[in-house]
């Protein structure tokens, strides 16, 4: 929520310093996220003065330059070199003096210095309007009326607008603070409570005088979706540019002025929180306004010139023949105010928040009006705000109020009543409030006292606070106005111990992340919402689709981690960051039908380019399948799960990571066609590990202590000649079947291929390590175990031992 300091101060009993006001706002629960100075002209024209050109001579060394002397009200005139074709003696001009910084439109800031221009000194600059930010013209220097006094600061003459702008982080329930008046009400309640003297919020002026007759009739057919509707006709208006004060107010909070009618409705919205809508009275066919729904699929063109298909649940403001506006959300293309409008029908209504939110999301129209209606506006203010707006329109746009005020409110809403006990306030707040303080705070916020007993207070809740319905809400209001920073901190704090549920899981993830970071990897966080164009139709059948995607490119929840990781890789490669080692903990999402959704947590690892750059001792080494395979093995070792194996996956060229009987991940080289989707031309290897089964298996492991073996290890090397199709994983599986308890390690250290070995053959050199924890192994015992390995390998793989 954006709040203007100048605007807010109009409703306060006296001005409060911006920094102090910021502290008050935060103390009452309206957290100030930023406080920044606003200037309609950047720099505020500081150092810029009005001067008079005394002389204007041709520059001796340049045809298009003039040498002038300018009186700025100082002891002596300034010599200024000027390139403007319209400069002449006797003119009143705007001068930026030495040391002044100006901010040209569309350019960089420029600080004035004494400079030599073609050999002639220049002490400042005679400015054009775009050089000062006063306009867009650069046709020549600004020439002011002769009546302007020399030496007058430009800021005093042009009077640029300055303000302080607060960005307030509102919680979703605080619709009562979505306006300057609502914020002022809270500030005044704080002042009343802390100053011990009534400081009511200043009321806005409302000199309303109703007209006569009803040139436009109103009929509300859906009283559930529209529980109150007020309107009034204003004739004889002149649609034109708004006065400067109104434009300043809107521009300070980031709104673009459009015309006086639209600007007034925007002003009222941000002043009171009540959205208004102005219709061109000439567009109301049959002089009838009907609030109703239209048939499913009805076409309607909105102000942004887009045709939308309406739902049968969308509430519409219609004339006698067609829809004019999506109620509370967005106007139509044909009924809005234009330069030719001479009469308007002004609407102020209360629309059901549920209806408005559904319509807003259905059509992707997140307007200021919809945002307020869906949180619940103050139903009691509809007519009063309408009077305020009508009065402003008559004052600013001319014309007269041409009808009675129409106010359809068939079932006036009763105020919510809440009973709260004083001891409950103490229990919940931890502070013992005197009953008089509680009543004063609530009274300042608009609550009405209904009944009071010794330990009980019953109040009616103002319509501006639809979120308040239970005693805890009343306690919160008291705490806010007393100041959230005034809550006492007890000397002792008691707490109930809880069973740790996610500690082991997060600890293991931290260990994995720490290992990867130690290996030079960077952790990334990518968007879990991605583009459906990345996936095949078969994959999309099980993909969770967004019902209200904010863009065409972000329309599904990711079914795999790979694509969002490749987006990051492509982004970096396009910026010549070619060597990447990345990892991400994230989730994927799937559906098996309406209402059946699953999500899975993953660890995704990506490598591309060089794993190690060229050094003075070592050559560069590229990231490849074996690099990432070793990395995955190390991660499972860290998790206490060393007994994993890798098996070829079917039809996709990847390797499955198998733990026990379950596949818990895949690794491999990214398919070339998939890489081309992201315009990646270099090889990318990746691993995708499903964390849930890994964490579940790791949780079952117990840490045991084992003494370091005191006896030496025995090593034997075997060179196996096998078919080209035999993998190292197959050899590992054969060795595992021998169940040699004293075989503690095996390592592949060489692969040799040659025609001398025979067609389709290769030699794999493997080192085996044997140990015994109770004695030193003898050569005979070791050779016996090696012989058992040889027999198993010859039988299972057809291996021949090279002698």
């Amino acid at each position: 929520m954006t709040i203007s300091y100048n605007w807010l101060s109009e409703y306060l009993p006296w001005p409060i310093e911006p920094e102090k006001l910021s502290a008050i706002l935060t103390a009452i629960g309206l957290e100030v996220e930023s406080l920044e100075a606003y200037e309609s002209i950047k720099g505020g024209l500081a150092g810029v003065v009005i001067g008079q050109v005394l002389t204007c001579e041709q520059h001796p060394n340049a045809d298009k330059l003039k040498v002038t002397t300018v009186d700025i009200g100082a002891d002596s005139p300034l010599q200024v070199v000027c390139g403007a074709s319209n400069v002449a003696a006797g003119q009143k001009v705007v001068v930026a003096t030495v040391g002044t910084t100006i901010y040209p439109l569309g350019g960089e800031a420029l600080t004035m210095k004494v400079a030599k221009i073609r050999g002639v000194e220049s002490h400042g600059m005679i400015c054009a309007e775009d050089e000062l930010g006063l306009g867009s013209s650069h046709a020549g220097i600004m020439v002011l009326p002769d009546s302007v006094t020399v030496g007058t600061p430009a800021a005093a003459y042009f009077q640029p607008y300055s303000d302080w702008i607060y960005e307030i982080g509102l919680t979703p329930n605080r619709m009562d603070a979505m306006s300057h008046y609502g914020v002022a009400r809270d500030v005044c309640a704080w002042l009343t409570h802390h100053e011990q003297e009534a400081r009511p919020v200043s009321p806005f002026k409302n000199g309303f005088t109703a007209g006569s007759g009803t040139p436009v009739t109103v009929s509300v057919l859906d009283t559930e979706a529209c529980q109150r509707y007020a309107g009034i006709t204003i004739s004889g208006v002149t649609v034109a540019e708004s006065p400067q004060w109104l434009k300043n107010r809107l521009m300070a909070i980031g709104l673009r002025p459009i015309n006086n009618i639209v600007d007034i409705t925007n002003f009222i919205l941000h002043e009171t929180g009540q959205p208004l809508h102005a219709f061109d009275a000439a567009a109301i066919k049959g002089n009838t306004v009907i609030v109703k729904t239209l048939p499913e699929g009805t076409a309607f063109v909105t102000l942004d010139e887009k045709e939308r298909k309406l739902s049968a649940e969308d509430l519409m403001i219609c004339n006698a023949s067609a829809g004019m506006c999506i109620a509370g959300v967005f106007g139509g293309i044909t009924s809005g105010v234009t330069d030719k409008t001479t009469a308007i029908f002004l609407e102020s209504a209360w629309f059901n928040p549920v209806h408005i939110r559904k319509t807003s999301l259905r059509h992707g129209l997140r307007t200021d009006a919809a945002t307020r209606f869906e949180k619940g506006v103050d139903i009691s203010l509809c007519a009063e705000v309408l009077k305020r707006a009508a009065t402003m329109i008559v004052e600013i746009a001319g014309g007269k109020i041409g009808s009675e005020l129409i106010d359809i409110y068939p079932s006036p809403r009763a105020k919510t009543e809440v009973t709260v006990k004083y001891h409950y306030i103490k229990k919940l707040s931890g502070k013992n409030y005197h009953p008089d303080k509680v009543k004063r705070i609530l009274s300042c916020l608009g609550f009405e006292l209904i009944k009071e007993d010794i330990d009980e207070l019953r109040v009616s809740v103002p319509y501006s606070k639809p979120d308040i319905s239970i005693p805890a809400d009343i306690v919160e209001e008291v705490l806010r106005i007393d100041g959230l920073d005034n809550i006492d901190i007890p000397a002792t704090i008691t707490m109930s111990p809880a069973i740790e549920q996610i500690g082991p899981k997060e600890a293991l993830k931290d260990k994995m992340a720490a290992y990867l970071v130690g290996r030079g990897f960077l952790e990334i966080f990518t968007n879990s919402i991605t583009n459906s164009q990345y996936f095949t139709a078969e994959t999309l059948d099980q993909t969770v689709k967004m019902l209200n995607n904010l863009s065409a490119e972000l329309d599904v929840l990711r079914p795999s981690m790979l694509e969002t990781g490749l987006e990051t890789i492509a982004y970096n490669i396009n910026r010549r960051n070619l060597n990447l080692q990345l990892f991400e903990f994230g989730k994927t999402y799937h559906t098996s039908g309406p209402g059946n959704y699953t999500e899975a947590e993953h660890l995704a690892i990506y490598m591309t380019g060089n794993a190690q750059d060229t050094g003075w001792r070592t050559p560069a080494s590229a990231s490849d399948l074996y690099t990432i395979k070793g990395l995955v093995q190390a991660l499972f070792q860290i998790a206490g799960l060393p007994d994993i194996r890798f098996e070829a996956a079917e039809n996709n060229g990847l390797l499955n990571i198998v733990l026990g009987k379950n596949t818990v991940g895949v690794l491999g080289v990214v398919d070339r066609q998939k890489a081309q989707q992201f315009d990646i031309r270099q090889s990318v290897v990746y691993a995708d590990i499903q964390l849930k089964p890994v964490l579940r298996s790791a949780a079952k492991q117990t840490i045991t202590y084992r003494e370091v073996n005191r006896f030496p290890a025995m090593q034997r090397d075997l060179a196996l000649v096998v078919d080209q199709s035999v993998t190292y994983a197959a050899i590992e599986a054969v060795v595992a079947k021998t169940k040699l308890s004293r075989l503690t390690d095996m390592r592949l250290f060489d692969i040799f291929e040659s025609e001398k070995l025979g067609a389709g053959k290769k030699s794999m050199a493997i080192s085996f390590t044997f140990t015994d924890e109770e004695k030193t192994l003898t050569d005979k015992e070791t050779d016996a175990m090696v012989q058992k390995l040889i027999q198993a390998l010859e039988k299972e793989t057809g291996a021949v031992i090279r002698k």
Side-chain angles (χ1 to χ4, degrees):
M1 178 67 190
T2 304
I3 293 293
S4 156
Y5 169 76
N6 291 347
W7 194 346
L8 180 63
S9 296
E10 288 187 0
Y11 311 116
L12 302 181
W14 65 79
I16 303 173
E17 290 296 321
E19 291 79 9
K20 181 180 179 181
L21 184 56
S22 176
I24 293 173
L25 291 172
T26 299
I28 60 179
L30 304 177
E31 183 182 1
V32 176
E33 297 177 342
S34 68
L35 171 60
E36 296 180 358
Y38 168 82
E39 294 171 324
S40 61
I41 300 173
K42 192 172 182 179
L45 300 178
V48 182
V49 298
I50 307 301
Q52 182 172 15
V53 180
L54 302 178
T55 65
C56 181
E57 305 292 341
Q58 184 66 42
H59 193 291
N61 301 317
D63 294 338
K64 295 185 178 181
L65 297 179
K66 303 288 177 61
V67 179
T68 67
T69 56
V70 183
D71 177 14
I72 62 168
D75 295 337
S76 59
L78 300 180
Q79 179 173 277
V80 180
V81 177
C82 181
S85 59
N86 67 327
V87 64
Q91 292 173 336
K92 297 288 181 67
V93 294
V94 185
V95 182
T97 57
V98 173
T100 297
T101 299
I102 60 175
Y103 300 86
L105 289 179
E108 296 182 357
L110 180 64
T111 301
M112 299 297 109
K113 300 178 181 178
V114 177
K116 277 195 173 183
I117 302 176
R118 294 290 185 94
V120 177
E121 276 195 354
S122 181
H123 296 260
M125 177 179 177
I126 303 176
C127 301
E129 65 177 39
D130 67 325
E131 293 167 336
L132 295 173
L134 289 166
S136 58
S137 173
H138 194 70
I141 60 169
M142 294 183 69
V143 180
L144 305 181
D146 291 339
S147 58
V148 182
T149 303
V150 170
T152 301
Y157 178 75
F158 291 104
Q159 297 184 340
Y161 182 75
S162 62
D163 200 348
W164 290 93
I165 302 301
Y166 299 93
E167 283 296 334
I168 296 176
L170 283 181
T171 52
N173 64 314
R174 291 302 310 280
M175 65 73 48
D176 61 300
M178 293 187 72
S179 67
H180 286 76
Y181 197 78
V183 172
R185 181 170 49 226
D186 272 10
V187 173
C188 288
W190 187 93
L191 292 173
T192 297
H193 174 64
H194 290 274
E195 298 288 338
Q196 301 295 313
E197 186 177 344
R199 305 293 184 189
V201 62
S202 301
F204 46 72
K205 298 177 182 178
N206 188 4
F208 175 79
T209 303
S212 59
T214 53
V216 174
T217 59
V218 177
S219 174
V220 179
L221 301 186
D222 190 339
T223 55
E224 168 60 25
C226 177
Q227 297 181 18
R228 187 174 188 181
Y229 190 95
I232 197 167
T233 302
I234 306 171
S235 58
V237 299
T238 301
V239 179
E241 186 177 346
S242 295
Q244 192 61 46
W245 71 264
L246 180 53
K247 292 194 292 183
N248 286 339
R249 285 280 189 265
L250 298 179
M251 289 189 293
I253 60 172
L255 297 181
R256 179 176 61 87
I258 298 173
N259 60 53
N260 49 11
I261 304 298
V262 175
D263 292 350
I264 288 170
T265 61
N266 284 332
F267 176 87
I268 293 295
L269 171 68
H270 288 272
E271 179 186 51
T272 67
Q274 172 67 45
L276 303 175
H277 192 79
F279 297 94
D280 187 333
I284 303 177
K285 306 300 183 185
N287 292 328
T288 300
V289 170
I290 307 172
V291 184
K292 63 179 181 177
T293 57
L294 294 176
E296 183 76 29
T298 301
F300 180 71
V301 182
T302 47
L303 275 173
D304 54 5
E305 299 181 356
K306 292 183 179 179
E307 181 177 284
R308 304 177 189 274
K309 299 296 183 181
L310 299 177
S311 163
E313 296 180 355
D314 293 334
L315 188 67
M316 298 293 295
I317 309 299
C318 307
N319 57 31
S321 59
M324 298 188 295
C325 172
I326 302 177
V329 179
F330 209 38
I333 191 67
T334 60
S335 62
V337 174
T338 68
D339 294 343
K340 298 179 181 179
T341 298
T342 58
I344 64 170
F345 179 77
L346 191 62
E347 164 197 283
S348 176
W350 189 96
F351 299 117
N352 190 304
V354 175
H355 286 257
I356 296 301
R357 181 165 179 81
K358 286 183 177 180
T359 295
S360 174
L361 294 176
R362 188 180 295 121
H363 296 289
L365 293 170
R366 306 299 294 151
T367 59
D368 280 348
T371 301
R372 283 161 173 80
F373 277 127
E374 70 184 27
K375 294 182 185 301
V377 299
D378 187 344
I379 195 170
S380 69
L381 282 183
C382 286
E384 292 304 312
V385 168
L386 186 63
K387 294 175 183 178
R388 161 79 165 152
T391 301
M392 287 186 65
I393 289 173
V394 171
E395 291 175 353
I396 294 173
K400 65 176 183 178
I401 296 174
S403 73
E404 300 173 359
L405 189 144
I406 301 168
D407 186 8
I408 300 176
Y409 193 13
S411 302
R413 176 177 295 186
K415 286 186 175 181
T416 301
E417 296 183 3
V418 180
T419 300
V420 62
K421 296 181 181 298
Y422 290 116
H423 77 266
Y424 179 77
I425 296 176
K426 179 181 178 181
K427 175 184 175 182
L428 211 59
S429 69
K431 193 169 182 178
N432 191 11
Y433 287 99
H434 192 280
D436 289 343
K437 285 187 176 181
V438 173
K439 288 185 288 184
R440 183 166 62 246
I441 289 174
L442 296 177
S443 176
C444 291
L445 292 173
F447 291 83
E448 295 178 3
L449 177 62
I450 298 175
K451 181 182 178 183
E452 182 183 13
D453 293 328
I454 296 176
D455 187 42
E456 187 176 84
L457 186 68
R458 186 167 183 81
V459 295
S460 63
V461 181
Y463 293 108
S464 61
K465 295 181 178 290
D467 63 302
I468 293 180
S469 59
I470 59 177
D473 296 332
I474 301 296
V475 179
E476 181 185 358
E477 294 297 287
V478 173
L479 278 172
R480 282 196 316 104
I481 302 306
D482 185 48
L484 296 175
D485 49 0
N486 289 331
I487 298 174
D488 297 329
I489 300 177
T492 59
I493 298 176
T494 59
M495 59 187 297
S496 300
I499 299 174
E500 179 59 71
Q501 298 289 340
I502 64 172
K505 168 186 171 182
E506 296 302 322
L508 182 55
K509 287 171 63 177
D510 283 346
K511 286 174 67 176
M512 289 179 164
Y515 174 76
L516 290 168
V517 170
R519 288 285 300 269
F521 280 72
L522 298 175
E523 185 172 8
I524 60 174
F525 296 92
T526 61
N527 194 346
S528 58
I529 305 174
T530 188
N531 193 337
S532 61
Q533 298 298 317
Y534 296 151
F535 307 101
T536 63
E538 183 180 357
T539 301
L540 288 174
D541 286 341
Q542 298 180 351
T543 298
V544 181
K545 300 173 180 63
M546 302 291 291
L547 294 177
N548 182 41
N549 49 300
L550 297 179
S551 69
E553 293 77 22
L554 299 173
D555 57 347
V556 296
L557 292 179
R558 63 184 173 199
S560 76
M561 299 290 293
L562 178 61
E563 287 71 20
T564 53
L566 291 178
E567 285 181 332
T568 301
I569 291 172
Y571 180 89
N572 280 271
I573 290 175
N574 290 339
R575 287 153 182 80
R576 304 302 299 166
N577 189 13
L578 304 179
N579 303 321
L580 301 168
Q581 297 183 108
L582 309 172
F583 73 96
E584 177 181 16
F585 291 102
K587 292 182 178 180
T588 59
Y589 307 86
H590 298 84
T591 180
S592 57
N596 297 316
Y597 301 100
T598 58
E599 60 180 54
E601 196 168 3
H602 297 252
L603 168 58
I605 305 170
Y606 312 91
M607 301 180 73
T608 186
N610 290 333
Q612 177 178 300
D613 287 331
T614 302
W616 67 276
R617 293 182 62 190
T618 56
S621 61
S623 299
D624 57 18
L625 182 64
Y626 302 104
T627 309
I628 201 164
K629 179 172 175 283
L631 192 74
V632 169
Q633 287 176 314
L635 286 171
F636 276 84
Q637 188 80 33
I638 289 171
L641 304 169
D643 299 327
I644 62 166
R645 63 185 188 275
F646 301 91
E647 298 178 353
E650 295 182 4
N651 303 325
N652 58 13
L654 301 176
L655 291 178
N656 287 332
I657 305 168
V658 181
L659 178 63
K661 297 181 180 180
N662 301 316
T663 298
V664 295
V666 295
L667 63 83
V669 180
V670 175
D671 177 75
R672 181 176 297 178
Q673 186 175 355
K674 173 63 72 172
Q676 286 176 348
Q677 273 189 306
F678 300 87
D679 199 25
I680 297 174
R681 296 179 175 84
Q682 62 188 55
S683 176
V684 179
V685 292
Y686 81 103
D688 185 351
I689 301 170
Q690 299 173 31
L691 286 178
K692 185 176 180 179
V694 172
L695 295 170
R696 185 170 56 239
S697 297
K700 297 177 182 178
Q701 304 300 311
T702 56
I703 299 175
T704 58
Y705 170 76
R706 188 171 64 185
E707 185 180 0
V708 176
N709 198 335
R710 294 176 292 135
F711 301 101
M714 300 291 282
Q715 288 188 328
R716 293 291 187 270
D717 295 341
L718 292 179
L720 310 175
V721 178
V722 296
D723 292 338
Q724 290 279 3
S725 60
V726 176
T727 64
Y728 181 63
I731 293 174
E732 282 184 313
V734 171
V735 172
K737 288 180 181 179
T738 63
K739 298 182 179 179
L740 295 173
S741 60
R742 289 180 289 186
L743 175 62
T744 56
D745 188 35
M746 63 180 290
R747 179 174 60 87
L748 176 69
F749 65 87
D750 185 47
I751 296 178
F752 174 70
E753 297 179 357
S754 172
E755 293 180 357
K756 297 179 180 179
L757 299 175
K761 298 291 184 178
K762 65 181 177 181
S763 173
M764 303 175 73
I766 303 173
S767 175
F768 296 91
T769 301
F770 303 90
T771 60
D772 191 312
E773 295 183 355
E774 298 179 354
K775 63 178 182 177
T776 300
L777 288 171
T778 65
D779 287 339
K780 183 178 180 180
E781 290 171 323
T782 304
D783 291 343
M785 289 185 286
V786 171
Q787 190 59 38
K788 187 175 182 179
L789 289 173
I790 291 173
Q791 292 173 357
L793 290 168
E794 287 177 340
K795 179 181 179 180
E796 298 289 339
T797 67
V800 176
I801 308 302
R802 291 179 65 191
K803 306 298 184 182

